[in-house]
């Protein structure tokens, strides 16, 4: 793509983003006080020391180290390829929503179309070890929202995040698409299981990261990723979350930035419902349908009917009635319905093949309808 800034200008932005001990907040302080990165690097250490610790001022006044220069050159070469972009705070295509958070990234690496970082966006997040029902909810909500003009942002993680991206892509070429914010360099896919999904997102949406190219997955990077997910969106929907889930960090950051927080309630017996229930007690909006979200936000693209409205009702089944909506082991289901073991096992297999129930890792069965 043609660069919106000259290579020397972009190189200075890249260097500032790579400087050790210079995070987004410090970088923004320098930009406010001294101007663009080229002007920052034109300052003497004594001038920089008015805004920084002396050692850090000397670091920025010194010539760029050779290894950092190689990183900058590699990033410029990467951005020269089709479908690759580096957006800085000075770029007119930098997402305006991120300018409202406390510490906006000073630059973003984008694979795909940066236009997907603009417009009405909702974040859909939740547990990595989500239940089949949770994944289906995330997929259905995201598909419906994307089909009605809401871009879906999430973090490319296993579980709810992946299901949300999949659902948004299922809305097709007329849908609003999806944005995956990564906790790695944009050229590294984590988890590896989502490599094919990441390629589809880059082709029909955008992959985005503030982390340098080649950065691998590290625990401290994911809270940084979460603030971008929250910052891009007008609201955050939490589908399933345990009490200590990283999704609750995203929800907290969203609330602190003036975004709406939504949560889907679940079974009182499920650990993956407790985070959502805690959010609801703290003031998050309880959500049962996509229209609960769009009605609350107002002024969105198109009001959405119930997510399940397009799905034809399936005939009732005695085993489903016995199972209810909480996961149960086979013996508990048998005690409720009174079927012989062989008959119950046959019907459980049939329902699983029909996609009406799923067998969880702990042996319990979960209703999907």
């Amino acid at each position: 793509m043609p660069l919106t800034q000259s290579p020397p200008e972009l190189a200075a932005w890249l260097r500032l983003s790579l400087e050790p001990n210079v995070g987004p907040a410090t970088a923004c302080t320098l930009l406010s006080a001294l101007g663009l990165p080229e002007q920052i690097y034109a300052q003497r250490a004594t001038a920089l020391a008015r805004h920084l610790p002396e050692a850090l001022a000397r670091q920025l006044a010194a010539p760029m180290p050779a290894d950092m220069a190689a990183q900058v050159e590699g990033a410029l070469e990467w951005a020269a390829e089709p479908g690759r972009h580096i957006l800085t705070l000075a770029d007119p295509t930098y997402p305006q929503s991120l300018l409202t958070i406390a510490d906006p990234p000073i630059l973003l690496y984008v694979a795909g179309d940066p236009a997907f970082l603009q417009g009405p966006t909702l974040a859909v997040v939740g547990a990595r070890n989500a239940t089949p029902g949770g994944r289906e909810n995330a997929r259905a909500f995201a598909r419906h929202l994307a089909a009605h003009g809401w871009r879906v942002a999430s973090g490319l993680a296993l579980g709810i995040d992946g299901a949300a991206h999949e659902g948004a892509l299922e809305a097709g070429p007329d849908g609003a698409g999806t944005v995956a914010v990564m906790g790695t360099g944009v050229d590294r896919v984590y988890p590896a299981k989502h490599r094919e999904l990441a390629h589809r997102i880059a082709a029909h949406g955008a992959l985005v990261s503030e982390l340098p190219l080649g950065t691998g997955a590290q625990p401290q990077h994911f809270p940084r990723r979460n603030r971008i997910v929250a910052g891009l969106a007008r609201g955050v929907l939490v589908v399933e979350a345990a009490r200590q889930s990283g999704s609750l960090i995203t929800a907290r950051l969203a609330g602190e930035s003036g975004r709406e927080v939504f949560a889907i309630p679940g079974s009182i017996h499920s650990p993956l419902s407790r985070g959502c229930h805690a959010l609801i007690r703290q003031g998050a909006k309880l959500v049962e349908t996509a229209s609960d979200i769009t009605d609350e936000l107002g002024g969105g693209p198109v009001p959405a009917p119930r997510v399940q409205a397009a799905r034809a009702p399936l005939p009732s089944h005695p085993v489903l009635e016995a199972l209810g909506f909480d996961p149960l082991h086979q013996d508990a289901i048998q005690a409720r319905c009174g079927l012989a073991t062989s008959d119950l096992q046959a019907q459980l297999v049939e329902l699983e093949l029909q996609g009406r129930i799923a067998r969880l890792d702990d042996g319990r069965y979960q209703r999907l309808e």
Side-chain angles (χ1 to χ4, degrees):
M1 63 161 286
L3 297 175
T4 58
Q5 297 170 293
S6 69
E9 290 174 325
L10 187 52
W13 280 101
L14 285 162
R15 178 183 174 181
L16 186 60
S17 73
L18 295 169
E19 291 283 3
N21 304 312
V22 177
T26 300
C28 286
T29 298
L30 289 172
L31 292 166
S32 297
L34 301 172
L36 296 174
E38 282 189 298
Q39 296 167 298
I40 293 172
Y41 285 111
Q43 303 292 321
R44 296 178 181 275
T46 50
L48 291 171
R50 299 190 189 106
H51 310 281
L52 300 170
E54 186 176 343
L56 191 53
R58 290 198 302 269
Q59 173 186 310
L60 269 63
M64 182 165 32
D67 58 343
M68 188 183 294
Q71 280 186 280
V72 168
E73 184 62 29
L76 292 172
E77 292 175 358
W78 178 87
E81 296 295 323
R84 297 174 177 179
H85 314 260
I86 299 175
L87 310 182
T88 73
L89 282 169
D91 195 307
T93 60
Y94 185 93
Q96 295 299 299
S97 59
L98 288 182
L99 298 177
T100 65
I101 67 175
D103 52 350
I106 66 168
L107 61 76
L108 297 168
Y109 299 84
V110 180
D113 186 350
F116 281 86
L117 304 182
Q118 310 285 357
T121 301
L122 285 163
V124 180
V125 298
R128 286 177 170 81
N129 60 332
T131 66
R135 292 194 297 272
E136 179 54 32
N137 281 337
R139 196 178 194 121
F141 269 76
R143 180 172 58 244
H144 199 91
L145 290 165
H148 287 74
W150 291 91
R151 197 150 291 135
V152 173
S154 198
L156 199 64
L158 294 173
I160 297 301
D161 289 20
H165 292 306
E166 292 277 8
L169 291 171
E170 287 169 3
D174 294 329
T178 187
V179 174
V181 184
M182 304 171 69
T184 62
V186 77
D187 57 336
R188 294 283 189 93
V189 177
Y190 178 84
K193 182 178 180 180
H194 279 170
R195 187 169 287 113
E196 189 272 337
L197 174 59
H199 289 314
R200 285 193 286 135
I201 294 171
H204 304 287
L207 303 173
V208 60
S209 177
E210 69 175 324
L211 298 167
L213 297 174
T215 301
Q218 298 179 29
Q220 68 269 25
H221 292 159
F222 293 101
R224 293 178 61 182
R225 173 204 64 184
N226 293 348
R227 89 185 194 289
I228 299 176
V229 173
L232 287 171
R234 288 174 56 182
V236 173
L237 170 64
V238 182
V239 179
E240 282 186 333
R243 282 191 177 275
Q244 302 301 319
S245 171
S247 302
L248 302 190
I249 297 175
T250 308
R252 175 178 59 79
L253 294 170
E256 290 173 354
S257 299
R259 275 64 170 171
E260 296 290 346
V261 179
F262 306 93
I264 297 178
S267 167
I268 61 172
H269 303 294
S270 171
L272 293 178
S273 296
R274 290 173 188 159
C276 291
H277 293 172
L279 288 174
I280 292 167
R281 285 194 295 271
Q282 294 162 15
K285 309 299 189 301
L286 185 152
V287 168
E288 295 177 313
T289 71
S291 60
D292 292 336
I293 298 172
T294 54
D295 290 349
E296 180 68 29
L297 292 175
V302 179
R306 293 188 66 88
V307 169
Q308 291 86 356
R311 182 179 291 182
L314 292 169
S316 183
H317 192 289
V319 173
L320 286 179
E321 296 299 323
L323 177 56
F325 290 92
D326 287 341
L328 289 178
H329 286 288
Q330 180 179 314
D331 56 355
I333 301 170
Q334 186 172 16
R336 289 184 180 182
C337 68
L339 289 172
T341 301
S342 58
D343 291 339
L344 176 58
Q345 288 174 338
Q347 293 194 34
L348 288 170
V349 170
E350 179 184 0
L351 288 168
E352 193 169 3
L353 291 173
Q354 291 174 357
R356 303 179 74 180
I357 65 172
R359 192 172 188 273
L360 306 182
D361 291 341
D362 62 3
R364 294 181 299 167
Y365 289 88
Q366 168 76 59
R367 184 171 178 169
L368 299 181
E369 296 178 13

